[in-house]
Amino acid sequence: MRTQVAIVGAGPAGLLLGALLHRAGIDNVVLEQRSADYVLGRIRAGVLEQVAVDLLREAGVAARLDTQGLPHAGFEMAFGERRLRIDLRALTGKQVVVYGQTEVTRDLMEHRRQSGRPTVYEAENVHPHGFDGEQPHLSYRHGGAEQHLQADFVIGCDGFHGVCRTAVPAGALTTFEKIYPFGWLGLLADTPPVNEELIYGHTERGFTLASMRSHERSRYYLQCSLDDRVEQWSDDAFWAELRRRLPADAAARLVTGPSIEKSIAPLRSFVAEPMRFGRLFLAGDAAHIVPPTGAKGLNLAASDVGLLAQALAEFYGGSLAGIDHYSQRALARVWKAERFSWWFTSLMHQFPDNGGFGLRMQQAEFDYLCGSVAAQTALAENYVGLPLG
Ligand code: APR
Ligand code: PHB
């Protein structure tokens, strides 16, 4: 098989890139190691920046997002007994849209099916070859047979554990990593959310986040120990702990119910530089991970593939400038989102080694935010998303 652009991974990065390329008339094939159902079973964050919404619209995949997404003009922070509303619209003129990543993926899958561009699910042993020359290809196994996909470019949208980044020769890549000493225990339930807007809470017992997918579906998180196992957390134990961590008025409104999904995610910051090696490009989680505080993961993946789709369209239009600048342009935005996610995580969580000084620093930071429009604006403009650059 031969195509123009071979994409590894059918997560949001791979599928959105496929949709943008399709829009530009560029032929592409997606290879995914899992089944479509497995990909749709993963629950991730649910806050979209304007840049991501615009790209989904440009790709022609925003019909459901535009009717079912919930525009949020602000969010709340709770710090012990104190509260602060970050008025995104007043501070930046922008807002975010709450719409689950699972739904984004579902919309992208349906759009791809209609476009007729091929997706090979359950492709095993995918490996990129020859990307230091002009004729890269992917080898893989599918339907019990060895297969080859030739392409002009290979794009690694295969997430943090993918093969594309690891296929790059040692020494050509510099990685940066920070692991946080806690995880997030998440629970999804068909119960009305406790609040109209998200609440990010710093409490003595640890961080909590009250989020949602719709007016009928809530998503909550609790900071937990890295040693915790999800089986140790009954739904009752989760709801009891959430009630202790929510501000009193929100706790009084909490409606509980059986969980639809419950899982623990570790928190990590990670960047691989550069994001291009010859004819192999990395995008999304394959190149960088942010901790979920601020929900930048999907948004960064979207901005990477927005830049890449533009760069590839320029290539087929006769200019190398876009692909030559992709890594530098993407990384400039990535590092700013890394900084913001690290900062927001550092402010809102209990750190085992923080000590009294660390806690006073968090309190002073929150106090400063409360009293400074400049500080709130800095938070708000990062939260709604920095320009594509
Ligand atoms: N071969 C083929 N596919 C692979 C391989 C492989 N060797 N390794 C991983 N994949 C697939 C995974 O099964 C997954 O479906 O690549 C896809 C990567 O998808 P994501 O992990 O969702 O990454 P990405 O598309 O970059 O999404 C970025 O979505 O997943 C969240 O936290 C992430 O919010 C971030 C955003
Ligand atoms: C979510 O709804 O899952 C969510 C929202 C905001 C975040 C992280 C996750 O910062």
Side-chain angles (χ1 to χ4, degrees), residues 184-203:
W184 276 22
L185 170 65
L187 180 145
L188 189 70
D190 276 331
T191 57
V194 283
N195 201 47
E196 290 210 345
E197 293 183 340
L198 272 61
I199 305 176
Y200 290 86
H202 178 289
T203 81

Side-chain angles (χ1 to χ4, degrees), residues 3-19:
T3 186
Q4 286 175 300
V5 180
I7 300 170
V8 185
L15 292 178
L16 178 57
L17 178 62

Side-chain angles (χ1 to χ4, degrees), residues 176-219:
F176 304 84
E177 185 168 48
K178 178 175 175 63
I179 309 250
Y180 299 84
F182 40 75
W184 276 22
L185 170 65
L187 180 145
L188 189 70
D190 276 331
T191 57
V194 283
N195 201 47
E196 290 210 345
E197 293 183 340
L198 272 61
I199 305 176
Y200 290 86
H202 178 289
T203 81
E204 271 178 14
R205 303 180 66 89
F207 169 79
T208 191
L209 169 60
S211 180
M212 67 198 73
R213 293 290 174 270
S214 68
H215 295 304
E216 295 84 34
R217 184 169 282 188
S218 312
R219 179 70 167 162

Side-chain angles (χ1 to χ4, degrees), residues 342-356:
W342 159 81
W343 172 83
F344 204 17
T345 302
S346 307
L347 172 62
M348 298 307 291
H349 291 75
Q350 290 290 346
F351 286 73
D353 300 332
N354 229 0

